[in-house]
Amino acid sequence: MSVEAREARQPWILLSPALGAVTLLLFVPLLFILVYSFWLRTATGADLAGFYLDNWQEALSDPFYRDILLGTLRIAAITTLVCALMGYPAAYFIARSRGNKAILLLLLMLPFWISYIIRTMSWINILGVSGGLNTFLIAVGLVDEPIQMLYNQTTVILGLVHFLLPFMVLNIYVSLEGIDTNLEDAANSLGATRWQSFLQVTLPLSLPGLAAGGLLCFVLGAGTYITPLVLGGPRDAMFANLVFEAIITQLNWPLGSALSLMLLVVLGALVLIYNRYLGMAQLMKGLG
Amino acid sequence: MTQKMDNTTRYERLRERYMNGDIDRRGFLGLIGAAGLAYGVQTPFAKYAHAAADQVRFDGWGGVVSEAFRQYAFDPYTKKTGITVVDGTFGGGDEYLSRVKASQPGEYNIAHLSGVFDYARYHGLGLSSELNEDNIPNLQFVIPKLVDVFRGVSGGALSCVPYDYGTTGLAYNRKYISDERMQEMGANILLDESLKGKIAGWSDWRTRMWYASLQTDQDPNGATDTDACWDAIRKHRDLSLKYWGSGAELMSLLAEEEIYVTEGWSGRIYALQEQGHDIGYMDPPNGFGWQECLFVIKGSPMEPCEELLNFMLAPETSIAVAEGQSYPPALDPTKVDLGSKIPNLPAFDASGTLDGLTFADPTYWNGHEAEWSKMFGRVQKGY
C-alpha cells in the first residue's frame, strides 16, 4: 500500500471508534424509529409491521399536533429570549471580572451537579401555596392568603430558564473571552462612549456566541417534557409530552415514532439554518 | 504447573503469537474484535441467565406501597431463601407495559398490576405465563371471586395471584369541604365551580371516564352518551389546577393544600390521614373499585417467582404488607383472621364477596382503550 493511501486511511482509523459509536447509538436507533413510524398499532396494543402512511398523515394533517408544535416553539422562543436577556449581563460580568473568574465559572456549573428533575421540582417548594415565597409574603404582610403561582405556562418557562440559562451564559462567555479588549479601548480612544463601544464593537463580535447559546436553549427547550409535566397545568403540554403519551400511555409506538421524527426534522432544520449562516464551530466552542 | 485458561491467558497467548510473527496484524485485530463482539452480544443475555437463579425483579407503585413490600415481604424472603428481590417502581400500568414491551424476555419478572383490564391487556399481548399452583399453596386463602375473574381471562390458568384491593374514591380537605357537602354532591364535587383552581384529578383516561360517567348519571361500565362524558371531562379540566401522575404527587398536592378535592387511591389517602392530615375520603355510589395482583411476566424464572408469591400470600406476610400499604389484602376474611387494623381500612369488605364494590369490566374498558386514551390525550390539552 502506498504512503499516500496509508495517510488517507489514518484519519478514518482514528475516527472509527467515534463513528462506530454515533452509528450504533444514533443512526441505528433513528433508523428503527423511522421504520416504526410506518407501522400501525392494533386495537390490542400490538404493532402491525408494514409500510403504512397513516401515522404520518395524522401527524402532518391533524391541527392538534400542529397547534401543540407551534405552542412548543413559542415557549422555546420565549425561554431563549429570557435566557439571552438574563445570560448576557452575567456572561459579560464573568468575562470582564478579574481574579475570581474561576469561582464564578464554578458557580455557573454548580446546578449541573444536581439532577434536572430535582432542580425542576425545587420550584414547588419555592412557589407552592405553602412554599417559601408565599410564606414570606404572608409573614411580611404583603398578602393575606397564599397566591397560586404554580402549574401554569409562566412556571413552565421559569423552569426552562432555570434549566437552560447556564448553557446560554457559557456560550456567550466563550465568545466574549475571544474578543480582544484592545478593540474596545481603541473605540474609546476614538471618542466612543463605553456604551457605544459595547454596542458597536463588543456586541456584534459576541453575536456568534449569543446565537450558539440561543440555538442550544431553543433546541433543548423545545424537546423537553419533564418541565411541563412537573410545573405545568392541564393545558401546558409541549410536543415532547405528546411523544411521551403516544409511546408510554397509549402504547402507540408507531405514532410516537412519527411524532418524534417530526420534532427532530423541525429542530434539525433550525440547526441546519444556523450552520448555514453561522457554522457549527462556535457551538462546539461553547460546548467545549 | 498448569495455567488456568481464562480470557486473560487467551489474550496473552494470542498476543505472543502476534509478537512472534505467527499471526499478522489484521488477523490479530480481527480476532480481538471478534472476541469483543462476542462478549458484547452475550453480555446482556448472560446477565439474565445469571440472574435467573439468584434474583427476581419486582416492579410496583413506589412510595409507601414499595416501602411496605420491601420491609414486610422482600427482606424477610431474601433472608429466608437467599434470593434477592430487585424492586423497581412505575407511575402506572401503561407506562410499565411500554417498558416491558421494550425489554428482553426475563428482564422484568413480577409486576404489581392494577385491575383485571391490565391483566387482560398483558395476556392479550402474549406476556402472561402459567403458574404452577401446586407451588403456591397459600392461594387457598385468597377470596375465590378475585381468583376466578383472572382465570376467566386466561382460559383457566393463572399468570398472577390476587394480592389486594382498594378504591379510587373522592379525597377532600375537611378544612374547606364538609362531609355533608361531599355526601350531597358526590362525584359532582369535582365539577363545582366554586372550587375552581383547587380541584385535581389523576391523568388516567379510565379514571377520568369512570368519574365522567358518574357525573352524567351513567353506568361506568356501560356509558352510552360518551359525548356527555367528554364534556364533563373538559369541564373538570377547566376547573382543575393539575392532573397528578403518581401517588406521591397526589399526597403532596393534598398535604400542601395546593388542592382541596380530587379522586384518590384509598390506601394513599389513609396514609395521609395517619400522618395527621385532615383529609376525608368517600366512595360515591358506583365508585371505582379495583383489585391488584402480582403478575408473573413470560420468560421469568418460574420457581423463584412462585416461591416469592407463595411467601407473599402467607397470611402473616400479607397482613403485614396490607397494614403497611393501607390496602386490604386479597385474603378471605372468612378463612383468615385479619387482625384489628385491616377491618378499618377504606374499601375493606368483611364478607369476602366484594359485592359492595364496582369493578371495571375488562371487555368494556379494553375495547375502548385505543380510542379513549387517545381522545383523553387531546381533551387533557384543551381540545
Side-chain angles (χ1 to χ4, degrees), chain A residues 120-140:
Chain A
T120 305
M121 293 190 80
S122 68
W123 286 105
I124 295 174
N125 292 319
I126 298 169
L127 301 178
V129 167
S130 52
L133 189 56
N134 266 316
T135 307
F136 171 76
L137 291 174
I138 292 170
V140 298

